[in-house]
Amino acid sequence: MTTMDHLPHVQSGPALLDALRRKILSEDVELGVPLSEAQLAQEFEVSRTPIREALRQLQAEGLVEIRSKVGTFIREPDHREMAELFQIKGNLEGLAAGLLAQRGPVSELEALQANIEDSERAAEAGDAELYSRLVHEFHWTIVQGADNRKLVEHYSRLMNQLAYHRLVRTSLQQKGRIRASTGEHERVLEHIVGKDSMRAEMTMRQHVASSAASTMNEIALREGA
Amino acid sequence: MTTMDHLPHVQSGPALLDALRRKILSEDVELGVPLSEAQLAQEFEVSRTPIREALRQLQAEGLVEIRSKVGTFIREPDHREMAELFQIKGNLEGLAAGLLAQRGPVSELEALQANIEDSERAAEAGDAELYSRLVHEFHWTIVQGADNRKLVEHYSRLMNQLAYHRLVRTSLQQKGRIRASTGEHERVLEHIVGKDSMRAEMTMRQHVASSAASTMNEIALREGA
DNA sequence: GTCTTCTGTGTTGTATGCAACATGAGGATG
DNA sequence: CATCCTCATGTTGCATACAACACAGAAGAC
């Protein structure tokens, strides 16, 4: 391709940002180094300008790191950062669980109950893929059920930084965790249904802490190999 | 100005971003509407391109809202958003206080003690300006003392969205709050020094809730006038 | 008088060209 | 052989030109 033919843009502003974010969060991109603006411009069939703007936003979101005059790199949290992010994750999800407990009977409660039942079936069937998807859905449902849009916003950013999708698969390798995790989910939901905000929060927080410990342990093992 | 003379830039990338953020957070900008790219470009003596990139980042931070083909506007949280943000603020600061309590004797504890003493003097002297600055410093010291960089990062974003600087002056108009606030600070510090992580967290959270309620009440009164 | 339509003006959205710099490979030098 | 220097190459950073659109206000129809 030599010159842009001024054809209609395949992806415009916000759509391009989403596409780029998905591409980065997806694991189909070389983790080491690349992400050149020109290359992305070709791939998305736009000029470098909108690509640059999108990358700047992703940098503000903590997803990439732009080293001036060098290149744009996917940001990977190290052990410390991951521990820090998990700490915040537990706190925010705890807040969400507590708020949800205070809301009374809303539709999210049924969704959570159904999720737990589906999770148990998936666990028995040994469908790890489905199970991890359900776990993700459980946590996310709680956060959205808190009825706090800003919380959803900040939580979303946090999860992006964690690159959580890359971890969930890992975290469930340990067979023992699955049963424990489901049990913890049940207890969290019990406290929520019982409108026990405090216990719901604390149980949720401990659940996240356990899950985080398991995940980070698994990652350490993998890196050691 | 007609053409750029290719002189050295007065403000470059990150510096420009900071300058713009300060300008927006500072109250010297018309809240209603403006923020045209061309205008900012003239003011900072750069072309529109870096201005645009900075604005996109500020949008990602939640400080401004870019309405396509219309203009860039300073984002002002409404009542609901403010309540939501305060809820998260309390939770994050609670987390920070709890973490700080677990750290043992670090330099931040002395800083907090000194801050309380200074605050009491400022309160007696009736220096509202100094007092509000010290309150801000107290909270910020706790967050930084948690030794969690990601927490600092997310907390910073949250505070920017709250446009907290515009509120602190308001929140302290109520004379009764000053004494109560200082007392709450003291109790928080007591629990931190006593390494009582749980009580430190809860006390901090309640303190933020009280402060938030007072602030939002004051704002409601002001808007009614 | 009211509603509709149209056009002017200002804004952002994008493409492109060029300058500045970081980096690494290769040769010159001791 | 080691070290430093030079420069070729690729990248981002910025300035500019132009296109596309939103909105308001005026002109026109009824």
Side-chain angles (χ1 to χ4, degrees):
Chain A
M1 180 189 343
T2 55
T3 61
M4 288 291 169
D5 291 335
H6 286 239
L7 290 174
H9 311 321
V10 182
Q11 313 253 32
S12 71
L16 179 65
L17 178 64
D18 284 351
L20 254 181
R21 191 188 290 111
R22 274 197 305 272
K23 178 181 179 62
I24 289 176
L25 288 179
S26 175
E27 34 209 300
D28 68 344
V29 56
E30 203 60 45
L31 214 48
V33 192
L35 276 191
S36 104
E37 294 175 359
Q39 187 179 330
L40 293 172
Q42 276 199 4
E43 181 173 340
F44 289 95
E45 297 186 323
V46 293
S47 86
R48 277 181 51 214
T49 311
I51 295 284
R52 281 180 61 78
E53 290 174 354
L55 285 179
R56 298 314 252 272
Q57 290 184 259
L58 291 178
Q59 180 183 39
E61 290 181 17
L63 273 178
V64 303
E65 176 186 3
I66 301 179
R67 292 172 54 186
S68 185
K69 306 296 181 64
V70 177
T72 302
F73 305 82
I74 295 188
R75 190 111 163 49
E76 270 205 298
D78 55 19
H79 279 200
R80 170 174 182 151
E81 282 189 359
M82 249 173 57
E84 292 181 352
L85 290 169
F86 272 124
Q87 193 116 46
I88 305 171
K89 176 176 189 283
N91 201 260
L92 291 184
E93 291 189 5
L95 170 62
L99 289 175
L100 178 55
Q102 291 171 19
R103 281 191 70 195
V106 290
S107 67
E108 275 84 358
L109 302 193
E110 305 160 21
L112 291 174
Q113 183 59 50
N115 178 290
I116 287 181
E117 290 164 10
D118 291 346
S119 296
E120 283 172 348
R121 273 193 289 274
E124 286 179 21
D127 189 342
E129 183 67 30
L130 175 60
Y131 186 83
S132 91
R133 216 165 49 78
L134 287 169
V135 167
H136 191 260
E137 181 185 293
F138 183 87
H139 287 242
W140 200 261
T141 300
I142 286 187
V143 170
Q144 294 197 307
D147 195 35
N148 182 323
R149 298 175 203 171
K150 281 295 169 186
L151 176 59
V152 172
E153 190 181 302
H154 281 265
Y155 180 75
S156 176
R157 232 194 267 299
L158 183 84
M159 293 296 277
N160 280 345
Q161 288 189 25
L162 246 182
Y164 198 61
H165 56 287
R166 290 201 190 132
L167 304 178
V168 280
R169 226 181 7 178
T170 308
S171 72
L172 296 169
Q173 304 287 352
Q174 302 173 244
K175 280 302 177 190
R177 264 306 290 167
I178 290 190
R179 285 184 53 200
S181 177
T182 306
E184 287 162 15
H185 282 191
E186 282 175 357
R187 282 195 293 150
V188 168
L189 181 54
E190 276 175 25
H191 293 311
I192 290 175
V193 172
K195 296 197 177 191
D196 190 338
S197 174
M198 195 70 191
R199 280 196 175 78
E201 174 170 1
M202 289 307 159
T203 307
M204 188 70 188
R205 193 187 295 192
Q206 284 182 352
H207 164 56
V208 173
S210 302
S211 172
S214 169
T215 299
M216 293 193 64
N217 184 36
E218 184 72 18
I219 287 177
L221 287 180
R222 169 189 291 188
E223 287 183 355
Chain B
M1 183 192 334
T2 53
T3 59
M4 289 288 169
D5 290 335
H6 285 239
L7 290 174
H9 311 320
V10 184
Q11 315 253 30
S12 72
L16 179 65
L17 178 64
D18 283 351
L20 253 181
R21 192 189 290 111
R22 274 198 304 274
K23 178 180 179 63
I24 289 175
L25 289 178
S26 173
E27 33 209 300
D28 69 343
V29 54
E30 204 61 45
L31 214 47
V33 192
L35 276 191
S36 105
E37 293 176 2
Q39 187 178 328
L40 293 173
Q42 275 199 4
E43 181 172 339
F44 289 95
E45 297 185 327
V46 293
S47 88
R48 275 181 54 214
T49 310
I51 294 286
R52 280 181 59 80
E53 291 175 353
L55 285 179
R56 298 313 252 273
Q57 291 184 259
L58 292 177
Q59 180 183 38
E61 291 181 16
L63 272 178
V64 303
E65 176 186 4
I66 301 179
R67 292 171 53 187
S68 185
K69 308 292 181 69
V70 176
T72 303
F73 304 83
I74 295 188
R75 191 107 164 55
E76 271 205 297
D78 57 19
H79 278 201
R80 169 175 183 152
E81 282 188 359
M82 248 172 57
E84 292 181 353
L85 290 169
F86 272 124
Q87 192 115 44
I88 305 171
K89 176 176 189 282
N91 215 258
L92 291 184
E93 290 188 6
L95 170 63
L99 289 175
L100 179 54
Q102 290 171 19
R103 282 190 68 196
V106 290
S107 65
E108 275 85 357
L109 302 192
E110 305 159 19
L112 290 173
Q113 183 60 48
N115 177 289
I116 288 181
E117 290 164 10
D118 291 347
S119 294
E120 283 171 348
R121 273 194 288 274
E124 285 179 21
D127 190 341
E129 182 67 30
L130 174 61
Y131 185 83
S132 91
R133 215 164 51 76
L134 286 170
V135 167
H136 192 260
E137 181 187 293
F138 183 87
H139 286 242
W140 201 260
T141 300
I142 285 186
V143 171
Q144 293 197 310
D147 195 35
N148 182 323
R149 298 174 202 170
K150 282 294 169 187
L151 176 59
V152 172
E153 190 182 301
H154 281 265
Y155 180 75
S156 176
R157 231 195 268 298
L158 183 84
M159 292 296 276
N160 280 344
Q161 287 190 25
L162 246 182
Y164 199 62
H165 55 286
R166 290 197 189 136
L167 303 179
V168 280
R169 226 182 7 182
T170 309
S171 71
L172 296 169
Q173 305 286 354
Q174 302 173 243
K175 279 304 176 189
R177 265 305 290 168
I178 290 190
R179 285 183 53 199
S181 177
T182 306
E184 287 163 14
H185 281 192
E186 282 175 358
R187 281 195 294 151
V188 169
L189 182 53
E190 277 175 25
H191 292 312
I192 289 175
V193 172
K195 296 197 176 190
D196 190 338
S197 174
M198 195 71 193
R199 280 198 174 76
E201 173 169 0
M202 288 308 160
T203 308
M204 188 70 189
R205 193 187 293 191
Q206 284 183 352
H207 164 56
V208 173
S210 302
S211 173
S214 169
T215 299
M216 293 194 65
N217 183 36
E218 183 72 18
I219 287 177
L221 287 180
R222 169 191 288 187
E223 286 183 354

